């Protein structure tokens, strides 16, 4: 067929073109709407996932805070050992300030419907500060407890030394007291040969005490270089079988009190032996047979005490 025979193409009608354009516009619009809707769903899902993760992070941080707070409270007994320590007070103040900040952030987050990663991170940083403070606290308490233990050990050593020293002082004091007592006793006049004799009116021995007109006590003071020399007053006490003191010679001082005596005698002692020293008492009351007690005193000492049986 020759070119002359080809028929020209008919142009599209305006109505068809409008229809095609309308269909294309609807298709594009649907695609755009679907894409936007899908993007919105994805964004919502992503936001929900992010909020869920933030919520979980917040709960995890709150658990960590509770654990830290419990651990901090467990050191209450240990803190008592360092009440006046400046480091302890500084740590307390810092920990309390950080704890209050954490609780404030927790309340703010609980009151918000949507969480912020920045706020969660801020809470995380504050709890991290608490954790560092607690770690520092533990180290300080361990250090101070170690120092306290060393001080306690030193105190125990000092106590033990003081105990030993006190024991030594007590032993020395006891020895000095014993020595002083021995020295004092060494100064006491010694008495030997003590005798009680009933005498008749002729100065002879009387066998029956009821007939005696005089009682004689005789004794010897032997040599004693430890006894101070000088005038010595010797006090005699004679107690009857009924327990009555014979005679009314007066009283003498003895161990802080006044003691009545039967008779007394003053001698001059030069450190040498004085034999057969007599002290007489004139009978002025009825005497009966029985056990008579004789006591001698001098220089605030009881020199001797002995019983004699008189018929």
């Amino acid at each position: 067929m020759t070119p002359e025979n080809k028929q020209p193409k008919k142009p599209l009608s305006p109505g068809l073109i409008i229809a095609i354009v309308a269909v294309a516009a609807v298709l594009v619009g649907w695609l755009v709407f679907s894409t936007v809707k899908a993007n919105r769903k994805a964004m919502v899902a992503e936001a929900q996932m992010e909020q869920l993760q933030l919520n979980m992070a917040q709960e995890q941080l709150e658990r960590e805070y509770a654990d830290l707070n419990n651990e901090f409270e467990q050191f209450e007994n240990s803190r008592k050992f360092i009440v006046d320590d400046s480091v302890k007070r500084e740590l307390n103040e810092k920990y309390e300030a950080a704890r209050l900040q954490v609780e404030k952030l927790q309340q703010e987050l609980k009151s918000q419907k949507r969480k912020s990663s920045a706020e969660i991170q801020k809470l995380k940083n504050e709890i991290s500060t608490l954790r560092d403070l607690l770690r520092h606290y533990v180290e300080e308490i361990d250090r101070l407890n170690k120092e306290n233990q060393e001080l306690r050990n030193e105190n125990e050593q000092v106590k033990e030394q003081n105990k030993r020293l006190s024991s030594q002082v007590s032993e020395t004091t006891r020895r000095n007291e014993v020595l002083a007592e021995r020295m004092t006793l060494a100064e006491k006049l010694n008495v030997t040969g003590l005798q009680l004799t009933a005498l008749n009116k002729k100065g002879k021995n009387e066998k029956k005490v009821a007939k005696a007109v005089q009682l004689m006590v005789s004794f010897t003071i032997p040599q004693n270089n430890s006894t101070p020399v000088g005038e010595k007053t010797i006090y005699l006490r004679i107690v009857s079988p009924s327990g009555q003191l014979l005679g009314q010679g007066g009283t003498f001082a003895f161990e802080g009190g006044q003691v009545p005596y039967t008779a007394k005698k003053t001698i001059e002692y030069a450190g040498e032996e004085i034999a057969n020293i007599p002290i007489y008492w004139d009978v002025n009351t009825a005497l009966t047979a029985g056990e008579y007690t004789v006591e001698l005193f001098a220089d605030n000492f009881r020199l001797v005490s002995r019983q004699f049986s008189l018929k």
Side-chain angles (χ1 to χ4, degrees):
M1 183 179 292
T2 62
E4 291 79 5
N5 294 331
K6 290 183 180 177
Q7 297 181 356
K9 293 182 179 178
K10 294 180 180 182
L12 297 175
S13 65
L16 182 58
I17 293 174
I18 291 173
I20 294 173
V21 170
V23 170
V26 170
L27 182 60
V28 171
W30 180 82
L31 290 173
V32 170
F33 175 76
S34 298
T35 301
V36 171
K37 186 177 181 180
N39 288 340
R40 285 180 178 175
K41 287 183 178 181
M43 290 176 64
V44 170
E46 184 178 355
Q48 291 177 343
M49 179 60 70
E50 182 180 352
Q51 283 297 307
L52 179 60
Q53 292 175 345
L54 291 176
N55 289 341
M56 293 175 63
Q58 180 186 353
E59 292 175 359
Q60 176 63 29
L61 290 174
E62 288 178 351
R63 285 194 295 270
E64 290 183 14
Y65 166 70
D67 292 341
L68 285 173
N69 221 24
N70 288 335
E71 290 181 28
F72 188 79
E73 292 301 324
Q74 289 176 3
F75 288 100
E76 182 65 28
N77 291 333
S78 298
R79 285 187 289 170
K80 292 178 181 177
F81 291 109
I82 50 174
V83 172
D84 297 326
D85 192 86
S86 59
V87 176
K88 182 261 183 182
R89 290 196 299 269
E90 182 182 357
L91 285 172
N92 264 350
E93 293 171 359
K94 289 182 178 179
Y95 191 92
E96 185 65 17
R99 185 183 65 80
L100 292 176
Q101 181 64 20
V102 168
E103 291 181 352
K104 179 181 177 182
L105 290 174
Q106 286 179 326
Q107 293 298 328
E108 291 176 355
L109 287 171
K110 287 179 181 179
S111 64
Q112 295 175 2
K113 293 182 179 180
R114 295 181 62 82
K115 313 300 181 186
S116 159
S117 60
E119 292 171 328
I120 295 295
Q121 184 60 42
K122 188 176 181 181
L123 177 60
K124 183 176 182 180
N125 291 340
E126 291 294 337
I127 289 179
S128 178
T129 299
L130 280 180
R131 184 178 291 108
D132 291 340
L133 283 171
L134 181 59
R135 185 181 302 112
H136 189 189
Y137 216 131
V138 172
E139 292 173 354
E140 286 300 314
I141 288 176
D142 288 343
R143 178 183 65 81
L144 292 170
N145 282 342
K146 183 178 179 181
E147 291 180 359
N148 287 337
Q149 183 60 45
E150 292 175 352
L151 288 175
R152 284 194 292 271
N153 292 339
E154 291 179 2
N155 287 338
E156 288 299 324
Q157 293 176 359
V158 171
K159 287 181 180 178
E160 184 63 28
Q161 292 174 355
N162 288 339
K163 185 178 180 181
R164 289 198 299 267
L165 180 60
S166 177
S167 178
Q168 292 174 359
V169 170
S170 298
E171 179 62 21
T172 301
T173 301
R174 188 190 66 80
R175 290 179 179 177
N176 288 339
E177 290 175 350
V178 171
L179 180 60
E181 183 178 357
R182 289 177 178 175
M183 291 178 65
T184 301
L185 291 175
E187 294 177 354
K188 185 179 74 169
L189 287 172
N190 293 324
V191 173
T192 62
L194 182 67
Q195 295 292 331
L196 173 63
T197 305
L199 302 177
N200 58 28
K201 60 183 180 180
K202 295 182 179 181
K204 303 295 183 177
N205 290 352
E206 177 59 56
K207 295 182 179 179
K208 293 183 179 181
V209 69
K211 295 181 179 181
V213 297
Q214 201 174 45
L215 294 181
M216 180 186 70
V217 173
S218 60
F219 55 92
T220 295
I221 297 178
Q223 179 181 352
N224 187 347
N225 294 329
S226 298
T227 301
V229 298
E231 191 176 81
K232 305 290 182 181
T233 299
I234 301 174
Y235 297 93
L236 166 66
R237 282 171 52 88
I238 303 175
V239 180
S240 70
S242 63
Q244 179 182 2
L245 177 69
L246 301 182
Q248 295 180 352
T251 62
F252 64 94
F254 181 72
E255 294 183 351
Q258 292 295 317
V259 179
Y261 63 90
T262 303
K264 68 178 181 178
K265 185 166 188 171
T266 301
I267 64 172
E268 187 68 28
Y269 183 69
E272 301 295 331
E273 179 184 49
I274 304 177
N276 300 319
I277 302 172
I279 300 179
Y280 297 94
W281 173 71
D282 295 332
V283 177
N284 56 15
T285 185
L287 300 180
T288 60
E291 296 291 329
Y292 286 77
T293 301
V294 175
E295 293 180 313
L296 295 180
F297 293 80
D299 297 334
N300 207 33
F301 288 107
R302 178 186 278 110
L303 305 181
V304 66
S305 177
R306 190 169 302 166
Q307 288 185 334
F308 295 88
S309 180
L310 298 180
K311 297 181 179 179

